[in-house]
Amino acid sequence: MRGYTIKQLALALTALTILPLATVLAWTVLTIGDLDRQRAGEQLQLAAHGAAIDLHQRVDAARQLVAALAVNGAVPFTGDACAQRFAELARLRPIYNNLFITDADGVVRCAAMPVKPADGTAASLAQRPYFEQALHSTEPVVAEAVSALSNGRTILPVVASVRDEAGRPVGIVGVALDLG
């Protein structure tokens, strides 16, 4: 091999030895990266599925609670006993941002967490999209997520109509599931 120095030949031999190793190393890194991304995607999918099941179970539990409260009639519309009972339920189940009862005009008459507008007037849910639907429905209503009047957190209201002995709607009872 004329014209090449030993140093050049050693460098060429080293390059030819390292090149396949570098190629194998690069392929390994890319393959492991793909596997890691695939595993991460699978774990994210499992977590999302678990969260959806959890939310579904919480909504079902809230539906059952408001249906029982609406039919039961054991909770008075006003007074400390109502607020204390609701506050205890909220304390036992931290997923409940608030529990409340309104009259037929939407004015909040009882709540676990006070709902007081800044102007001092009585809080009203009459303008909430779910109020009229719940007032006239015979089944619990799961509303769209909104901001809570009591503390501004994102909630999912689950509400049911409260009816008098003649079956006329006299208000709604609701649970605000905390999403935030």
Side-chain angles (χ1 to χ4, degrees), residues 51-109:
I53 288 172
D54 183 55
L55 181 60
H56 182 73
Q57 289 171 341
R58 289 174 185 214
V59 167
D60 281 347
R63 267 193 196 123
Q64 292 171 15
L65 176 60
V66 297
L69 290 171
V71 171
N72 183 322
V75 179
F77 276 92
T78 58
D80 290 338
C82 176
Q84 288 172 356
R85 188 170 191 189
F86 279 1
E88 180 64 12
L89 283 170
R91 186 187 67 74
L92 292 172
R93 297 286 302 203
I95 61 165
Y96 298 155
N97 179 286
N98 209 352
L99 293 97
F100 55 87
I101 292 179
T102 74
D103 61 20
D105 295 323
V107 176
V108 177
R109 297 298 180 186

Side-chain angles (χ1 to χ4, degrees), residues 10-174:
L11 184 63
L13 185 59
T14 302
L16 290 174
T17 304
I18 292 176
L19 185 62
L21 292 174
T23 303
V24 168
L25 179 62
W27 179 82
T28 302
V29 167
L30 291 174
T31 302
I32 289 174
D34 287 343
L35 290 175
D36 286 345
R37 281 190 292 280
Q38 182 179 356
R39 280 190 210 122
E42 290 169 358
Q43 289 174 348
L44 185 60
Q45 197 172 26
L46 285 172
H49 181 70
I53 288 172
D54 183 55
L55 181 60
H56 182 73
Q57 289 171 341
R58 289 174 185 214
V59 167
D60 281 347
R63 267 193 196 123
Q64 292 171 15
L65 176 60
V66 297
L69 290 171
V71 171
N72 183 322
V75 179
F77 276 92
T78 58
D80 290 338
C82 176
Q84 288 172 356
R85 188 170 191 189
F86 279 1
E88 180 64 12
L89 283 170
R91 186 187 67 74
L92 292 172
R93 297 286 302 203
I95 61 165
Y96 298 155
N97 179 286
N98 209 352
L99 293 97
F100 55 87
I101 292 179
T102 74
D103 61 20
D105 295 323
V107 176
V108 177
R109 297 298 180 186
C110 170
M113 184 183 301
V115 182
K116 300 282 183 191
D119 63 6
T121 61
S124 175
L125 299 180
Q127 300 303 314
R128 293 287 175 129
Y130 57 82
F131 178 76
E132 284 296 322
Q133 181 185 1
L135 191 63
H136 299 293
S137 178
T138 58
E139 297 292 323
V141 172
V142 179
E144 292 187 23
V146 295
S147 180
L149 293 178
S150 59
N151 59 9
R153 291 179 61 89
T154 303
I155 58 166
L156 185 66
V158 180
V159 292
S161 176
V162 176
R163 298 178 176 272
D164 64 14
E165 297 81 23
R168 292 182 300 262
V170 294
I172 66 169
V173 61

